[in-house]
Amino acid sequence: MTDGITVLGAGVMGTGIATLAIGHGIGVHLIDIDPDVVERAPSIVRRKLRHAQLLGSLPADQEFGALTTATTLGGSIDTTAVVEAITERFELKYKVLGEVAAVADERTVLVSNTSSIPIDELATALPRPERLAGIHFMNPAYAVGTFEVIRGTHTSEATMDRVTALLDRLHRRSVVVRDSPGFVTSRLLHPMINAAARIVGEGIASAEDVDALMRGCLGHPTGPLRTADLIGLDNLVDSLNVLAERLRDDGCRPCEVLLEKVRRGELGQKSGTGFYTYEG
């Protein structure tokens, strides 16, 4: 078995997870079906590694792990773990996890980075559902010190041991929670962001003022709407729809402000504009 991880999806989350692992000396095989995305990924990871070093969130004396890329799974996967970090859509995650299970070594732990879809639902794609666990890495993964780990109904002790061992190697704290739509963090945070966006849409306050009040009065570190831009407004809309459907809570339906921004391609930091404007 190869000592390293395979990351599926070379977008914002995939490259962030790759950065975290590489910065801790773990090799990463990064896969995305889009050749243009794969071509850009190494330079994005290098930029994120520099940012992580400036933040002091990587070991100073650690030699970087190697990065390899591909556009297909290939014939087999024998890395220590596979981390699925693709779009927050059940049908896509279900399909790719089933494909991975068919070619991954039986000792390889399978991880989904879903922020809202129950692990038990995704595990139905696997012939051995006990192999799957969730890690909500959050963004940027290399700057966050604690991760939510989701244990499905069928997730085995061996899988949990391997997942927590991986996070130990990454010098990250694991907080294990039971499976549920949105788990803990998304179930609390995403409806709050939705409410903040609705306040902006109603003209009660600007995004800047909402965030200033949440930071100054309630101690939120960045403010909900700047956090939304970091998450990606498209990912946020997908997650809110999952919560609304699984919890049967129409209050979680994404508000019109979020939907309109996504329609206009204003997705947050990754597109250069969302509730705020970003350079570079």
Side-chain angles (χ1 to χ4, degrees), residues 84 88 93 111-122 132-138 147-153 155 175-191 239 242-243 246-247:
E84 171 274 305
E88 191 73 357
K93 289 182 180 291
V111 174
S112 175
N113 181 53
T114 178
S115 62
S116 56
I117 302 171
I119 294 301
D120 280 355
E121 291 186 26
L122 295 173
L132 184 67
I135 302 178
H136 188 184
F137 279 95
M138 305 187 193
F147 293 133
E148 188 175 33
V149 177
I150 303 96
R151 180 171 193 164
T153 303
T155 307
V175 176
V176 179
V177 302
R178 289 175 57 186
D179 196 25
S180 173
F183 323 120
V184 175
T185 53
S186 294
R187 192 161 170 179
L188 291 172
L189 176 64
H190 293 186
S239 177
V242 169
L243 292 176
R246 272 40 172 214
L247 298 174

Side-chain angles (χ1 to χ4, degrees), residues 212-239:
L213 288 167
M214 291 298 290
R215 290 195 309 271
C217 299
L218 299 179
H220 195 285
T222 59
L225 298 176
R226 193 171 288 279
T227 300
D229 278 357
L230 188 62
I231 292 169
L233 303 190
D234 52 341
N235 296 330
L236 182 63
V237 164
D238 287 340
S239 177

Side-chain angles (χ1 to χ4, degrees), residues 151-166:
R151 180 171 193 164
T153 303
H154 304 290
T155 307
S156 69
E157 288 292 343
T159 295
M160 293 302 297
D161 288 345
R162 291 169 183 165
V163 166
T164 53
L166 172 62

